[in-house]
Amino acid sequence: MKRTPIILSLILVLCLIITSCNSIGNTETSNASNVDINGGSCTSSSIDVQANKDIAEPLEPYEKHGNKVYFAFEEKKTNYYESITNITGNDNSDTSSSERLEGDYEKPINAPTELPNDGKNYFKFIETYDELTTYFSLPDVDASVLENNHIICIKEVFYLSSGWESWFKHLGYSDFKFIDNEYEISRSYYFSVENGGEHLDILDSVITVNYLIIPKTEIDFVEGVHEIVVNKHQVNKDNGLWTDEFLGGNPNPMPPSTDTHSFLTHDKKVVLPNEARAWVIEKESELEKQIGLEPNGYSEFRVILYLPNEPQYDFIITEKEIKNGNLYLTVEQYSQYTNDYLSINDVKFYDLYIQDTSELVKNFDVYILVKTVK
């Protein structure tokens, strides 16, 4: 009779152990790291994960794989001049900046009529606030801006491919100066991976008009209209996808530059990790087939970065370094350009265009410094 409580206790413990074992692998939700590149912090949110005991842990380590992905954030200071915009910004004929193809000169472009239409670059000073309001119905500055600053209108004409509006994105003007008896200004832009396909070298003329606020300490006022040289500065290189007609008949695309990247599509049925990961993936590998990776244009399929959430803003990778067996990336993201194209394609995987991975250790870490350009 005294053994009965002991036997019942053992049976109860055994039942608890069996119940605990059966519950492993049947969790319906898990915490996902929301890699918020635009916000400068990491938050957590809950996502649904399909429970299936027949599916192994997704994306098991293959060849070399990233152990952890770490993010750091900072704001990048620039010397770009502020552009004046319209507060409403809804009327295309009354905005701070507009573009017209050659042959559209007769259409309103929101520029002073004194600026010639001969295919050259010109600027003029906007002398009064009343004059400014003839080009903007509701400018986002008041008359006090002219106390310590000049306002210039610059009309630039340049020739790039017909895909300029999508692939080359304007960042800002800087370094206005008068040297060797001529005026100069610099314009920075970057090559976006938005389209990722072949770069078509069909020349078209593009006209841009911008109203810039420049401190009086940098320039002296001058009356009239003046020609100006625009020095172009491309922050990153192109991805190398030039058409073979401009390569002497070479049927193979140029290799992508090391300071750019491309994005990949994947099999939507694959169960993906909840945290950022990285892998070294060779083409035709088992892991490539498991994820169902497909390139958007040209891809090397070597170091692949996976982010569970898409960045909100457009970005480029400006530095890549392998140090002590780990991978270090510097990313610039541009808050004036959203990543709408990523949302459309549901991008999670990025080809980093790193061809030599021999110095990466098997379980390498990835350190990403995100610099936001505002």
Side-chain angles (χ1 to χ4, degrees):
M1 296 295 292
K2 294 182 178 179
R3 295 182 178 179
T4 301
I6 298 176
I7 295 174
L8 291 176
S9 298
L10 291 175
I11 292 174
L12 180 60
V13 172
L14 181 60
C15 291
L16 290 174
I17 292 174
I18 293 174
T19 302
S20 177
C21 291
N22 288 338
S23 67
I24 296 176
N26 293 324
T27 303
E28 294 183 354
T29 60
S30 62
N31 287 330
S33 295
N34 183 6
V35 182
D36 187 7
I37 285 184
N38 52 284
S41 62
C42 294
T43 59
S44 294
S45 61
S46 180
I47 64 172
D48 291 333
V49 178
Q50 182 66 38
N52 191 332
K53 63 182 180 181
D54 296 327
I55 297 179
E57 174 68 19
L59 311 185
E60 285 288 348
Y62 181 84
E63 300 169 2
K64 295 178 180 178
H65 72 283
N67 182 32
K68 294 288 184 181
V69 179
Y70 301 94
F71 289 86
F73 303 88
E74 68 180 40
E75 183 175 334
K76 181 179 179 179
K77 295 182 179 180
T78 66
N79 58 346
Y80 301 141
Y81 299 128
E82 182 180 353
S83 293
I84 297 177
T85 61
N86 218 23
I87 292 178
T88 56
N90 295 323
D91 186 355
N92 290 333
S93 65
D94 188 17
T95 57
S96 64
S97 175
S98 53
E99 298 174 2
R100 296 289 186 273
L101 294 180
E102 192 174 28
D104 289 343
Y105 289 122
E106 67 280 4
K107 295 182 181 179
I109 196 172
N110 193 35
T113 56
E114 306 96 292
L115 300 182
N117 294 327
D118 58 2
K120 298 179 181 179
N121 305 321
Y122 293 95
F123 80 94
K124 75 175 293 291
F125 280 83
I126 305 301
E127 299 188 37
T128 66
Y129 190 77
D130 287 339
E131 181 184 358
L132 180 67
T133 57
T134 62
Y135 309 115
F136 297 90
S137 59
L138 290 172
D140 63 346
V141 295
D142 57 35
S144 64
V145 70
L146 290 169
E147 295 177 2
N148 299 311
N149 303 281
H150 290 300
I151 297 175
I152 69 166
C153 174
I154 180 169
K155 181 178 181 180
E156 180 186 357
V157 182
F158 55 92
Y159 295 84
L160 286 173
S161 74
S162 59
W164 179 87
E165 296 85 354
S166 297
W167 287 315
F168 292 89
K169 294 189 176 181
H170 173 78
L171 290 176
Y173 289 94
S174 63
D175 198 22
F176 184 99
K177 57 188 177 182
F178 183 74
I179 188 171
D180 294 334
N181 206 33
E182 65 179 6
Y183 290 96
E184 294 184 5
I185 197 169
S186 296
R187 176 173 60 84
S188 296
Y189 61 96
Y190 71 99
F191 179 88
S192 174
V193 301
E194 177 173 348
N195 285 318
E198 290 185 347
H199 187 288
L200 302 177
D201 293 76
I202 301 173
L203 294 181
D204 273 325
S205 170
V206 178
I207 303 172
T208 65
V209 175
N210 284 274
Y211 292 78
L212 308 177
I213 300 174
I214 304 179
K216 291 182 177 180
T217 55
E218 291 191 27
I219 60 174
D220 295 323
F221 175 82
V222 60
E223 293 184 349
V225 174
H226 301 269
E227 190 173 347
I228 188 169
V229 176
V230 179
N231 300 313
K232 302 175 181 62
H233 170 61
Q234 187 171 330
V235 176
N236 65 331
K237 297 183 177 65
D238 305 342
N239 67 357
L241 303 179
W242 300 91
T243 54
D244 58 3
E245 290 85 354
F246 293 87
L247 296 174
N250 185 353
N252 299 316
M254 295 172 62
S257 303
T258 56
D259 58 352
T260 186
H261 67 280
S262 69
F263 56 86
L264 311 169
T265 59
H266 66 281
D267 184 352
K268 300 300 177 61
K269 297 179 181 179
V270 175
V271 181
L272 298 175
N274 299 328
E275 297 179 351
R277 301 272 187 90
W279 297 270
V280 174
I281 302 180
E282 299 293 341
K283 286 189 176 182
E284 306 299 328
S285 68
E286 290 299 322
L287 187 53
E288 175 195 345
K289 297 175 183 177
Q290 181 185 356
I291 305 173
L293 291 179
E294 293 290 342
N296 180 54
Y298 184 79
S299 180
E300 290 285 345
F301 271 14
R302 286 186 172 87
V303 180
I304 300 297
L305 175 67
Y306 163 77
L307 300 179
N309 301 88
E310 296 168 347
Q312 180 181 352
Y313 301 123
D314 201 11
F315 67 95
I316 61 174
I317 301 175
T318 57
E319 295 180 31
K320 306 171 189 175
E321 181 183 11
I322 298 176
K323 184 170 57 177
N324 298 325
N326 298 315
L327 178 60
Y328 291 79
L329 305 175
T330 300
V331 172
E332 283 190 10
Q333 66 166 358
Y334 305 108
S335 57
Q336 65 268 51
Y337 296 110
T338 59
N339 265 338
D340 295 336
Y341 62 94
L342 294 185
S343 299
I344 294 173
N345 294 290
D346 190 26
V347 175
K348 307 290 185 184
F349 296 91
Y350 303 84
D351 188 336
L352 302 183
Y353 288 159
I354 297 176
Q355 300 186 20
D356 184 5
T357 62
S358 59
E359 295 184 6
L360 285 173
V361 297
K362 184 175 182 180
N363 297 327
F364 62 94
D365 291 328
V366 182
Y367 297 87
I368 303 177
L369 173 60
V370 180
K371 296 183 178 181
T372 300
V373 179
K374 295 185 178 181

